[in-house]
Amino acid sequence: MIRLYLKPNRERPVRNGHPWIFSGAVESVEGDPEAVGVADVFDHKKTWIARGLYNPKSQIRVRLLTWHEETIDRDFFARRIAQALALRQDFLSTKTNAYRLINGEGDFLPGLIVDRYADFLVCQFFIAGLELFKDDIVAALSALESVHGIFEKSEGRVRDEEGLGYFVGVVSGAEPPDTISIEENGFKFLVDVRCGQKTGFFLDQRDNRAFLSTVARGRTVLDCFSYSGAFSLYALGGGAKEVISLDSSRPALELAEKNLALNGFPDGGELLKGDAFAYLKECDRTFDAIVLDPPSLAPKRSDVTAATGGYKFLNLHALKHLNPGGYLLTFSCSQHLSTDLFQKVVFGAAVDAGRKVSIVKRLGQPVDHPVSLHHPEGEYLKGLVLRVLD
Ligand code: SAH
């Protein structure tokens, strides 16, 4: 076991439950400082504080798992998974069989994402220390009720920063079909876990889609960054008069077409392949509601300034294309862009668009994407429902 000692005055956030220890807070390391593994963390007076996973290659040297002296083993992960499952069972509708089962730090399992799509789980291991416990975690997950197979999709920037390669494939049980059929609030969707984006579906927007369906009746709706058509489908389900789904990805739109047909909307409006920035600028018509759900424009902290330009552009042109009394559901999923800054950017867009706008509702992450109170960085998704006056 590694023993890691903090510099003087660096223990407070650790004691208060923040799960990350950056390299700059570390005074010294005992044990093999080059090896990934479980580490005990002490303050500079050598008092034990917490236990976590150590990676000498990562700027985040330790991700904390527990503030009790408990063994990190299969049982530990099974207990955390059971806690996470209980939260979902408390809140999720019986008409929903797709949800995030483990949301990393928000479920006190840093670096681990597990999404359930009906009888299949898709997991992402983002940090090196978790690799040591992959068999234990997979065993604990396979023991859950009605899990036919577990697919791993561990790739992306965080793994690069951790010095890890990628792994994509089945890790337990059955191979998932090309598309898994799921149900969300009674709507049916096909999810392509292999070729789809992220783990295959954007579960974090479930409640926000439901909100759209409550204001869709009789309205014309433009769903920008539609992916597999989820907002569009909720709009149609809510009685929208006309829906346009716009995305730059052809496979996403092909899936959207299937999803709309599957739910009884074979002519579910127009599916447009294109760049949302260009479309919004050049479009020569107006809508009663627009959804703006772009991918993160600031994946890194250093991208924030450039990203604010992108968000402003999108919101400005969307606001210009709304009919009086129309709604804009605008989102940012950039962790590094704060709620305050996002609102300021949207305000700037409204001023430049020459529209008077009210905030009708603030939107965020659903119950299956909990945020640790000790790790506010986990609150990445922010949304505003705006109404233009005239
Ligand atoms: N609203 C979707 C999720 C959107 S994810 C849902 O609820 O499921 C972001 C989407 O933006 C992806 O489908 C991606 O293909 C698309 N995208 C990325 N850049 C784009 C661009 N410049 N114009 C249009 N779509 C874009």
Side-chain angles (χ1 to χ4, degrees):
M1 176 107 77
I2 293 147
R3 296 164 70 89
L4 182 144
Y5 298 93
L6 296 170
K7 288 180 181 163
N9 303 321
R10 301 302 285 267
E11 70 279 3
R12 178 175 248 187
V14 183
R15 274 195 209 290
N16 287 352
H18 197 284
W20 295 350
I21 298 175
F22 285 92
S23 56
V26 178
E27 173 93 15
S28 62
V29 176
E30 282 174 11
D32 182 354
E34 298 310 314
V36 171
V38 175
D40 272 342
V41 177
F42 300 82
D43 67 12
H44 77 288
K45 290 182 183 156
K46 301 195 178 343
T47 306
W48 189 93
I49 310 179
R51 184 167 284 170
L53 298 170
Y54 171 81
N55 180 0
K57 290 206 184 108
S58 172
Q59 275 310 304
I60 303 180
R61 238 0 95 81
V62 179
R63 320 242 180 180
L64 294 170
L65 291 170
T66 180
W67 288 258
H68 299 296
E69 290 193 56
E70 56 189 325
T71 309
I72 306 304
D73 57 8
R74 184 176 300 189
D75 278 356
F76 168 82
F77 287 104
R79 289 196 299 278
R80 281 285 149 89
I81 291 167
Q83 285 268 23
L85 178 60
L87 165 69
R88 279 68 180 170
Q89 287 171 337
D90 280 343
F91 290 104
L92 286 174
S93 131
T94 52
K95 290 183 168 172
T96 296
N97 67 4
Y99 54 87
R100 179 148 292 186
L101 171 60
I102 306 289
N103 188 44
E105 281 79 357
D107 286 299
F108 298 94
L109 286 171
L112 181 64
I113 296 293
V114 181
D115 287 341
R116 180 186 267 274
Y117 295 116
D119 293 336
F120 288 90
L121 300 181
V122 181
C123 55
Q124 297 181 301
F125 293 83
F126 284 122
I127 62 170
L130 281 181
E131 294 279 323
L132 305 175
F133 294 97
K134 191 187 279 186
D135 290 349
D136 292 317
I137 293 168
V138 168
L141 290 170
S142 2
L144 298 177
E145 212 175 299
S146 56
V147 171
H148 290 178
I150 305 181
F151 191 80
E152 181 179 347
K153 217 173 168 192
S154 296
E155 52 190 4
R157 192 175 46 82
V158 183
R159 283 193 63 103
D160 299 338
E161 287 165 5
E162 286 278 305
L164 295 169
Y166 296 173
F167 179 81
V168 176
V170 176
V171 283
S172 168
E175 174 99 28
D178 289 345
T179 52
I180 303 174
S181 303
I182 61 148
E183 203 184 359
E184 183 185 270
N185 290 325
F187 291 103
K188 296 185 183 68
F189 290 96
L190 298 174
V191 177
D192 181 346
V193 300
R194 278 183 202 74
C195 307
Q197 298 181 30
K198 303 284 171 89
T199 65
F201 195 67
F202 291 89
L203 296 162
D204 53 358
Q205 290 285 23
R206 182 191 312 106
D207 293 353
N208 305 331
R209 295 193 267 264
F211 180 81
L212 175 66
S213 75
T214 64
V215 296
R217 181 154 307 279
R219 294 198 145 93
T220 56
V221 178
L222 172 64
D223 178 9
C224 291
F225 309 94
S226 63
Y227 188 53
S228 57
F231 274 102
S232 298
L233 183 49
Y234 276 71
L236 288 163
K241 186 164 71 182
E242 185 194 347
V243 176
I244 295 182
S245 310
L246 172 68
D247 202 279
S248 58
S249 157
R250 189 172 300 285
L253 289 170
E254 285 168 5
L255 212 48
E257 189 170 15
K258 289 184 189 157
N259 288 333
L260 296 175
L262 200 61
N263 290 275
F265 300 102
D267 308 312
E270 212 175 325
L271 297 161
L272 277 184
K273 184 186 172 310
D275 172 31
F277 291 81
Y279 180 86
L280 282 168
K281 185 150 187 268
E282 287 149 21
C283 171
D284 56 6
R285 59 165 294 187
T286 56
F287 299 89
D288 301 324
I290 298 179
V291 179
L292 279 184
D293 184 23
S296 174
L297 302 184
K300 299 194 295 300
R301 188 171 297 282
S302 54
D303 300 331
V304 168
T305 309
T308 55
Y311 287 114
K312 182 168 178 189
F313 183 97
L314 287 171
N315 283 280
L316 189 158
H317 290 285
L319 286 167
K320 280 189 175 174
H321 286 91
L322 278 171
N323 295 326
Y327 291 101
L328 174 62
L329 274 69
T330 180
F331 298 95
S332 162
C333 61
S334 303
Q335 181 211 310
H336 301 296
L337 190 86
S338 69
T339 305
D340 274 2
L341 180 55
F342 182 53
Q343 186 172 322
K344 285 195 180 104
V345 169
V346 175
F347 165 69
V351 171
D352 287 5
R355 305 301 295 260
K356 293 290 174 286
V357 175
S358 34
I359 298 175
V360 176
K361 196 172 169 63
R362 292 173 192 280
L363 302 174
Q365 294 167 217
V367 290
D368 55 333
H369 291 64
V371 179
S372 164
L373 189 56
H374 313 269
H375 179 256
E377 299 91 323
E379 190 167 346
Y380 65 93
L381 181 63
K382 52 211 83 68
L384 293 169
V385 181
L386 304 175
R387 187 170 189 270
V388 295
L389 182 64
D390 45 27

